[in-house]
Every structure is written in C-alpha cells, then in structure tokens.
Amino acid sequence: MLLKNFRRAALGFGLAVALTGGAQAEKVLRVGNMGEPESLDPHFVQGVWENRIVGNMFLGLTTEDASATPIPGAAESWTISDDGKTYTFKLRDHSWSDGTPVTAGDFVYSLRRILLPETAAEYASLLFPIENAQQVNSGEVPADKLSVRAVDDKTLEVKLVGPTPFFLEQLTHYTAFPVPRHLIEKHGQAWTKPENIAVNGPYTLKNWVPNDQITLIRNDKFYDAANVKIDTVVYYPQEDRTAVQKRFRAGEIDWAADFASDQFEWLKSNLSDETRVAPYLGIYYYPMNLRKPPFDDKRVRQALSMAIDREIITDKVLKTGELPAYSFVPPGAGGYGNPSMVSWMDEPYSARLEKAKALLAEAGYGPGNPLKFTLSYNTSENHKRIAIAIASMWKQHLGVETELFNSEVKVHYRALNSADFSIARAGWIADYNDAQNFLYLLETRTGPNNYSGFSNSEFDKLMVEAGTTGDMDMRSSLMAKAEAIAMEEQPVIPIYYYVSKNLVSDRLTGWEPNAKDVHRVRYMDLK
Amino acid sequence: MIAFLIRRLASAIPTLLVIITVAFFMMRVAPGGPFDEDRALAPDIEANILRAYNLDKPLVEQYFDYVGNLLRGDFGPSYKIRDFDVNDLILAGFPASLQLGGTAILLAVILGISFGTLAALRQNQASDYAIMTVAMIGIAVPNFVMAPLLTLVFGVYLSLLPVAGWGGGALENKLLPVIALALPQVAYIARLTRGSMVEVLSANYVRTARAKGLREQVVVLRHALKGALLPVVSYLGPATAGLVTGSVVIETIFDIPGIGRYFVQGALNRDYTLVMGVMIFYAVLIIALNLLVDMIYGFLDPKVRHG
C-alpha cells in the first residue's frame, strides 16, 4: 500500500515536472542573509544584510555591475562641471513598479527626506558632500536650500561642497536611492508594506514575515527586466553561521553571505568550489586613546605596533585568507595608488622587536616599570582569540602587562565613542570604494569616529587639500602623504585587511567576487 | 471559585506593575543605548533620533508615557525593527512559538507521565533503571547540542527533513524543533512523575484502594496517578509559559520566527520597547498559567479548596 502510494506520488511528480518543463520553471534564489533587516526603507538601512535586499529593489542614479564597478543606473548619462562641483544627471525613461514615472523631483524629494532632522536617519551624514546637506540635517537651513534641483522631469542638478571624485561611486549607496514620494505621502511609514510599496529596481517586495523570510519577485516594470533571469529571491534572516552552513549543504539555500571562520578548513577540503573568499575593503585595527598616557607617547604606540606578528594572527589564528595589515587603507581602494605602509614593514620580526624594546625603554618602560593597560574588545570568539594572541606577544617580547576587557557590542562602542578606553578593537568597512573613506577616520574634524582622538595639523591640512583639488593624481598623492604621517604617528595599529566569505552554490552563475562584496541578483542565473 | 478568581486577578495587577516598573528602569541602567553603533552618530543626527523616539525627555516622563500607552494596548515602536511595531512583532511571532511550544509540552506530558508511571511501577527493575538513565541523559544534554545533532543526522546526512526554516508552519519543518524542545521536558516530567508516584503508591489511600480489591489498573490510573500528578502540574505552569513564549536556542538554530529570539536580540540591541513588550507578554502568560495550575490543583486534590 505504502509502495503504491509512493509510486502514485512519484508519477504525479513526474507529470508535474513534465507539464512545467515545457514552460519555464520558476527560478528561485534562496539567500542565507545573516540578519533581520531593521527596515526596507533605504533611508533607514544601515547594514550589509539590508543592502543585499534593498539594493535589488531600488536603483540609484548610479548602480553596480557584477564586479561592483559603478555604472549608469536611474541616470543614463551625466556631465560634471569643470570645477568638479556640479553634476547634471539625465534620467533614464523609467517608472516605479506601480507605473508612475520616476522623475528628477523624486530624487530631490528623497535626498531632502533623508537629510531632514525629523526623518532622523542614522546614515544621513554620508550625503554631506552635497552643498548645504549638513546644514539641512542640523536644522540650520530649510530643506529647500539643499543644492539639489530638478531642472525638468528628467534632469537633475546636484551641487557639491567641493570636488568629490568618489561621488558617482557614492551614489550607488542606499542613502542615495530614490523613494516614491507619492506613496510615502499617502501611506506614511507604512509605505514599505508589500501592499503599498513601489520600487524602481529589478525586484519588488512580495512579503516580509519578521524573522522568517523576505520574498522579492521580479519587477516587470524594471527598465532592464528583459535581462533579469531569476524570478524570486527569498532571504532567510538566520544568523547562526553553523546552522546556515548546514542548510547550504542540505541544498536549502543557494548563497550564504558568510560562514564561520573555524569551518574554513573543512569547507576548503569538502566544498572548495563553492567556498568563496575574496579581499574586502575593510580594516581590523586597534585604536589607542591618545588623549591620555601612556598612548600620548608616540614611542609607546610604535613599539606596540612593531611587536605584533601579524602573520601569526592571519595564518594561525584566523586562517581564512585575511592579509596582514601594515597600512590603514586596504590595498585596492579606489582613487588611490599603493597605500603608505609603516616604514618598518619589511624588517625582520626580530629586528622590529629590538627596536620596539629600545623605544619602550626610551619612553621609560622596562622590567622595573612595566607598561600596563587594558585592551577592550566586544564579544566574539575571534576578537578574543586575537586579543589573547596580541597580549601574549606584548607580554613575551616587551614585558607589557595587558588586562583583557570584554563587553557586549553596544557597551564597547559607547566606550569608544566617548573616549573611555585605553586600547581597543575596532573595524571599518568602506561605505564607498575610496581611500578617503578610511583616512577621514583619522581627521580631527571627524569627531567620535576618530576613536583615538588623533589630531595632527599636517594630516588634517593634507586631507583638506585632497578634498578640494580637482586633480586626481594630486589628490591621491596628498592622501598618500597623509597616510604616511598616520603610519609614522601610529594612532591606530592596523592588524589585518578583511576578506569577504561566501558560500555560493555551483548552480548559481553570475555571482562575481569583488572588493565591496556587493552582488546584485539582476546579473545572476540559476542552472 | 469565582471569588478566588477575582482575588487572584486583582492581585495580578500590582504584580505586573512592579514587573513593568523594575524592568523599565533596569533596561535603562544598562550601559549603551539602542543607537550606539560602531559608526558614532554625528551629534546633530543623534539628537534628531533621540527626539524622534522621545528618548530626549526625562526618564520619569518617558516611564509615564510608556505606561499610558500600555493602558491603551500600545507597546510602542521597536527601536531596531523600524518597519514594525512591537505589537506587530509579538502578534507575528507568537503563533509560531505557541505551536512549537504547545506541541512540545503536550508531547512531553504524554510521554513523560507514561514513562514516569511505568518506571515507578517497575521500581528498581531493569526497565526503571533504563528509563531513568535515558531521562538523566535527556536532562543533561542541552538543547544547543541536541538540536544541531538532529539537524546533522536528519537534515544533512539522511536528507529526510529540512535543516531549518519555518516553511509557513509545515509539519516537516516542525518535527525536529518540537523533538529538540520536548526531549528535556519528557525527561524532567518522567523523573518528577516517577518520584511522586513511588511515594503515592505506598500512601494509605492507595493501600485502601488495593484492599478494597480494585483492579491494579484502576488503582494506578484513578487513584495513584491523580495524587502523583500534583508536582507535575505545578511544574507545568512555568514550563508551559517558558515553552510557548519560545526558546531562543531552538528558534535560532532552526530559524523559526517565534518571539523567543526577541528576548536576546532585543536585549543586545537595547531595543527597550521590544524587550519590555516581550517581557510583559511573558509575565501575563505566567500569571495566567499559574492561575490555571492552581485551579487544576483544586480538581486533583480535594485538600486544596478555593473558597
């Protein structure tokens, strides 16, 4: 009986396959997204897991190709004024998914909306290169003073504070996505609900069950819909990397956007083709609090940095292909040549240790008076292992007594932002592919994000000059000079450059590794 | 009985108020706030956000605002999941937690009581030892070991069941999490039942029943079991509340959209309103279930009278 039922079921299934085989079977991409979004409103998005969703729903003036290089998006072309400060965009003839045309007015509205103080968007500061953006955000001037103007329905003019060579790159970011004014005015905050939303990108929202799944379906009104091959994208929010990996192995998901580092060995030998590790625009570093001793002494900072054997951290502790860092800007960052490395990078470790000991002795620390401080990190197995390894290098070679202090992430960053630490773990992933996005962290005017409180007038001056010159080679060399100062002063200890880690099914094509780790579904297909 | 109910319900109100008050202020004492991120907010932006959520008001004023909203049934907005209110999140998450927890507790009661009774009747025999050893292991092996093991065997190696996911509540998606959730409870209930059963079997009223010449089945099921269930029933109140409000571990491992995850996610994110909402919901459930337990007590044990 059981067998009979089984055979009947098998027959039915075969029939179903035969019937649908003639037409096109629906192509469903299932993504292990590693987090529940806070919002699908691009103005409130902050995380890469949210970008993986909204980046398929909305199309900025520029967008990314499969290798994450900026290409025309909602704008089909643009001109830049000679002083590099005025951009004029010609919009592509396209519409929202409800059929309403996308106009230059939509972009004006969107940029004003994210900057308005009452919107309270956490990421608004990314748009501060636009003239008056900062003043609008602080409420000093009304939103209509923002230098973004709809010349006509299809022409948008944006004026910047200074020439900003990464501006086109920055426009691919979700802070610059257009949002549908007509729907926000009608539905208010509820505009992102599936029944209300309209998008101008390749996929639109079908449903969102909190902590369960988010489903996107093809937007037939998308201007390039003819070239979009995957019909449906399902995002699972699961954060437990080991569990996600099991789902991947069981064929329940096609793309997992991260995996646990300690699984890398196993993955390499068992799923080598599907395990994708690539350089990622991010730096893992230890800022030191320069506002108080002993870190106000350059010699102490240099000594601590020299005594870290970074190859041990990357090759023995992490073992996921990360690269040891001797500069603050990762190699390959846009608008930049080779990063300025620390001067002692190529010296053998033993020679560096001798130098470090001498520097510490000069600063007054030694066996009789050991250097003591607290090293803080936020809860994570890797942060802990790295902190232990580094503390033991300092102890063994320099006699430094490090107290490790672990706290959960909110507490950790509250301490960093309020300068309440000695030396701490931090990381930075680029918002846009440009060296400036790293170096500005060390400028005095950056405020709390400059955790160290590094303040060097020469560095600041070079960065301001780099921000105002229209000559790209000049800009790059000014930033390189600034970085060289930072590497000599060493307010932060660079430890390693990040890598992105993905599990990508061999059924999924069109997924290209890239430094931004941005992969848009419109370029993918399922075999 | 009615008077008892009214008295209990009336006393629940101050209890809840104390819980709400203590929880509200304790959340705020914890260092770090909902908007402390690795990217420090510019002062203007931080001010905008705090204003938008009324977090710039004095704490006492925020407290009275919160309680005022609660009275209107409004748990407020989530600070971290902007597109949903706390009410939405609890309403969306509770059905999944209830289905899982409810099935698990039902399974645990049936299996636990059966095994416990069986062990007690075969006291100090091989089957008793076997059941109790398995039960001991069931209690000792934690969920976070059992659940990944189950997924590895049934999901990855045998490919019989999904490794994770809710699938809109499909049976195949529920099986593994229910088992993982129920196993420790089965074990615990079996031990509880056995313990009290052994005691009850030698009680005077059971001896009387036997002396009257009743069949063993009747003695055990009608007389002994009724008495032996008292400790199990009092355990079931909080256990049920615990299970139906969701297990963080199980929901995380199986990617289940229940409300258990909100406890931990909310607390780590300092999502004050979400944590408060889930906590109040949990408190109300515990109060209700304990009330139910007390009422069942009255039926099971004539010595307990609600007057």
Side-chain angles (χ1 to χ4, degrees):
Chain A
M1 185 64 187
L2 192 73
L3 190 70
K4 205 168 145 195
N5 276 345
F6 178 75
R7 280 168 60 188
R8 195 181 298 157
L11 198 71
F13 180 71
L15 198 66
V17 170
L19 282 174
T20 49
Q24 268 300 329
E26 195 196 8
K27 288 181 176 173
V28 183
L29 173 67
R30 298 153 306 167
V31 185
N33 197 31
M34 306 294 165
E36 176 76 353
E38 291 182 12
S39 175
L40 293 181
D41 182 333
H43 293 171
F44 300 118
V45 161
Q46 294 186 73
V48 288
W49 61 96
E50 290 156 342
N51 187 19
R52 271 195 287 271
I53 305 172
V54 297
N56 288 315
M57 295 167 63
F58 299 93
L59 189 68
L61 291 163
T62 57
T63 186
E64 302 95 347
D65 68 5
S67 64
T69 311
I71 56 165
E76 58 184 6
S77 64
W78 49 83
T79 54
I80 306 171
S81 65
D82 290 341
D83 64 359
K85 292 207 275 194
T86 306
Y87 284 65
T88 311
F89 295 94
K90 186 93 190 104
L91 291 199
R92 189 183 297 285
D93 215 2
H94 72 302
S95 70
W96 295 100
S97 49
D98 63 356
T100 314
V102 176
T103 64
D106 285 324
F107 281 92
V108 175
Y109 169 78
S110 303
L111 291 167
R112 285 180 185 172
R113 176 177 183 257
I114 186 172
L115 286 163
L116 273 175
E118 48 271 34
T119 305
E122 294 178 46
Y123 235 40
S125 61
L126 220 65
L127 294 165
F128 286 0
I130 299 175
E131 193 176 74
N132 282 336
Q134 188 162 5
Q135 289 79 351
V136 169
N137 194 239
S138 63
E140 276 170 54
V141 302
D144 57 14
K145 288 281 183 291
L146 182 72
S147 295
V148 177
R149 189 167 71 93
V151 179
D152 58 50
D153 269 359
K154 292 290 165 203
T155 314
L156 182 76
E157 185 191 87
V158 182
K159 283 196 177 135
L160 306 181
V161 179
T164 311
F166 51 87
F167 189 59
L168 290 173
E169 161 86 34
Q170 209 181 18
L171 289 175
T172 64
H173 194 265
Y174 43 81
T175 41
F177 285 171
V179 291
R181 174 183 194 161
H182 60 292
L183 296 175
I184 297 174
E185 283 173 349
K186 189 166 159 200
H187 302 290
Q189 263 203 327
W191 78 273
T192 53
K193 299 281 174 209
E195 60 274 20
N196 301 335
I197 200 167
V199 300
N200 72 329
Y203 290 90
T204 188
L205 180 66
K206 185 174 171 223
N207 72 4
W208 176 0
V209 184
N211 264 335
D212 183 7
Q213 63 177 57
I214 289 177
T215 310
L216 303 186
I217 48 169
R218 259 159 62 108
N219 167 20
D220 292 328
K221 295 259 172 22
F222 178 56
Y223 85 88
D224 198 22
N227 289 316
V228 176
K229 294 166 204 96
I230 288 174
D231 303 288
T232 305
V233 194
V234 182
Y235 296 89
Y236 298 107
Q238 197 164 20
E239 284 172 42
D240 182 339
R241 278 146 181 75
T242 332
V244 172
Q245 187 189 318
K246 272 193 229 140
R247 283 184 98 171
F248 182 81
R249 285 169 64 192
E252 289 172 26
I253 53 178
D254 309 299
W255 167 24
D258 196 6
F259 57 80
S261 289
D262 59 7
Q263 294 292 310
F264 188 52
E265 289 298 316
W266 187 91
L267 288 166
K268 257 199 309 195
S269 43
N270 292 284
L271 296 172
S272 61
D273 289 347
E274 297 177 304
T275 306
R276 308 284 190 94
V277 173
Y280 189 26
L281 280 177
I283 177 86
Y284 188 102
Y285 68 103
Y286 278 1
M288 292 168 277
N289 193 345
L290 272 55
R291 301 165 192 90
K292 56 184 186 185
F295 301 112
D296 55 348
D297 189 330
K298 180 169 110 181
R299 293 166 299 190
V300 171
R301 305 195 298 260
Q302 288 173 328
L304 291 174
S305 183
M306 285 177 192
I308 296 176
D309 189 342
R310 290 156 175 82
E311 280 73 9
I312 296 265
I313 305 292
T314 54
D315 300 348
K316 300 277 190 285
V317 179
L318 292 165
K319 296 191 281 192
T320 330
E322 286 83 358
L323 290 172
Y326 293 92
S327 64
F328 195 56
V329 180
Y336 208 45
N338 285 328
S340 306
M341 306 288 181
V342 289
S343 56
W344 39 266
M345 171 185 170
D346 294 322
E347 291 177 32
Y349 186 54
S350 54
R352 270 159 50 188
L353 286 178
E354 286 314 310
K355 242 187 200 173
K357 271 183 223 162
L359 281 167
L360 265 196
E362 243 180 75
Y365 298 99
N369 177 31
L371 180 59
K372 289 181 194 172
F373 54 76
T374 304
L375 165 58
S376 318
Y377 60 92
N378 54 300
T379 311
S380 142
E381 199 47 43
N382 274 350
H383 299 337
K384 185 166 132 191
R385 290 163 62 211
I386 292 169
I388 290 172
I390 289 178
S392 69
M393 290 173 197
W394 285 339
K395 172 80 190 163
Q396 190 187 343
H397 302 301
L398 304 178
V400 171
E401 292 175 15
T402 313
E403 190 192 338
L404 298 182
F405 180 73
N406 169 212
S407 56
E408 50 167 319
V409 65
K410 294 278 179 192
V411 181
H412 182 75
Y413 281 111
R414 165 62 64 89
L416 277 179
N417 293 333
S418 51
D420 182 19
F421 70 102
S422 296
I423 180 165
R425 174 265 148 190
W428 186 261
I429 309 270
D431 293 309
Y432 42 90
N433 186 3
D434 195 281
Q436 183 269 352
N437 192 229
F438 290 92
L439 290 173
Y440 95 98
L441 290 175
L442 302 176
E443 286 185 55
T444 309
R445 62 180 175 185
T446 295
N449 271 334
N450 177 353
Y451 302 134
S452 301
F454 180 58
S455 181
N456 180 297
S457 53
E458 185 63 16
F459 181 93
D460 289 345
K461 205 177 108 216
L462 288 164
M463 288 304 289
V464 169
E465 279 176 41
T468 42
T469 179
D471 178 344
M472 288 306 102
D473 293 337
M474 181 67 156
R475 177 175 181 269
S476 171
S477 87
L478 287 166
M479 288 197 294
K481 269 189 206 160
E483 188 179 23
I485 292 175
M487 286 304 95
E488 167 67 16
E489 291 291 323
Q490 204 75 173
V492 293
I493 303 179
I495 296 172
Y496 69 85
Y497 310 118
Y498 281 115
V499 286
S500 60
K501 296 173 281 182
N502 289 275
L503 295 175
V504 182
S505 161
D506 41 24
R507 287 177 60 229
L508 185 63
T509 58
W511 188 103
E512 279 185 29
N514 62 64
K516 282 169 79 182
D517 198 25
V518 165
H519 313 274
R520 298 301 182 214
V521 178
R522 62 185 277 208
Y523 308 115
M524 299 181 197
D525 196 359
L526 278 163
K527 278 192 282 193
Chain B
M1 193 67 184
I2 303 283
F4 165 78
L5 259 179
I6 292 172
R7 225 173 333 116
R8 283 293 297 267
L9 286 177
S11 74
I13 293 168
T15 312
L16 263 180
L17 203 64
V18 169
I19 291 174
I20 292 168
T21 311
V22 171
F24 184 90
F25 289 100
M26 271 177 66
M27 277 298 296
R28 302 309 178 94
V29 172
F35 307 107
D36 282 320
E37 306 281 351
D38 53 346
R39 289 151 205 263
L41 295 175
D44 288 340
I45 294 180
E46 187 169 11
N48 293 342
I49 292 169
L50 295 182
R51 202 174 322 116
Y53 284 109
N54 287 328
L55 287 171
D56 56 343
K57 290 187 186 170
L59 197 56
V60 177
E61 201 180 325
Q62 290 182 42
Y63 170 74
F64 283 109
D65 283 352
Y66 183 75
V67 175
N69 287 336
L70 266 189
L71 289 177
R72 269 175 273 124
D74 181 5
F75 284 105
S78 157
Y79 293 142
K80 277 292 147 188
I81 309 180
R82 282 198 184 231
D83 290 12
F84 295 91
D85 285 338
V86 173
N87 293 41
D88 295 338
L89 291 174
I90 292 179
L91 280 178
F94 186 57
S97 295
L98 179 68
Q99 285 180 45
L100 271 195
T103 321
I105 201 81
L106 203 70
L107 194 70
V109 166
I110 296 171
L111 293 181
I113 293 177
S114 312
F115 285 130
T117 310
L118 200 72
L121 292 175
R122 308 248 194 289
Q123 199 188 342
N124 297 333
Q125 295 172 23
S127 48
D128 176 25
Y129 290 131
I131 290 173
M132 283 306 112
T133 309
V134 173
M136 211 52 222
I137 295 170
I139 294 171
V141 176
N143 266 337
F144 59 82
V145 174
M146 181 59 77
L149 261 176
L150 287 174
T151 57
L152 197 64
V153 173
F154 292 98
V156 179
Y157 292 145
L158 301 177
S159 297
L160 285 176
L161 293 166
V163 172
W166 183 235
L171 180 67
E172 51 173 21
N173 288 76
K174 277 190 223 155
L175 273 175
L176 290 182
V178 164
I179 292 172
L181 209 51
L183 276 182
Q185 304 296 337
V186 173
Y188 201 81
I189 292 175
R191 283 190 64 85
L192 269 181
T193 311
R194 180 192 176 274
S196 60
M197 195 72 176
V198 165
E199 207 175 298
V200 166
L201 281 175
S202 58
N204 287 337
Y205 73 93
V206 174
R207 280 215 304 249
T208 311
R210 285 213 173 106
K212 281 201 298 187
L214 292 176
R215 278 189 302 137
E216 185 65 12
Q217 227 174 341
V218 177
V219 172
V220 172
L221 293 181
R222 285 267 301 276
H223 298 273
L225 194 56
K226 213 171 150 189
L229 280 185
L230 286 175
V232 177
V233 169
S234 48
Y235 169 74
L236 278 182
T240 309
L243 282 192
V244 299
T245 43
S247 146
V248 180
V249 175
I250 295 297
E251 287 178 9
T252 308
I253 293 176
F254 289 101
D255 202 20
I256 287 162
I259 55 175
R261 274 152 114 177
Y262 294 136
F263 266 123
V264 173
Q265 276 177 6
L268 289 178
N269 284 331
R270 301 287 187 274
D271 193 341
Y272 302 137
T273 41
L274 181 58
V275 173
M276 290 290 296
V278 180
M279 185 135 53
I280 293 167
F281 187 76
Y282 190 53
V284 169
L285 241 135
I286 289 198
I287 290 174
L289 284 165
N290 276 338
L291 184 61
L292 194 72
V293 163
D294 286 351
M295 285 161 61
I296 296 176
Y297 247 69
F299 292 111
L300 285 178
D301 187 352
K303 280 184 285 185
V304 182
R305 296 233 177 267
H306 306 301

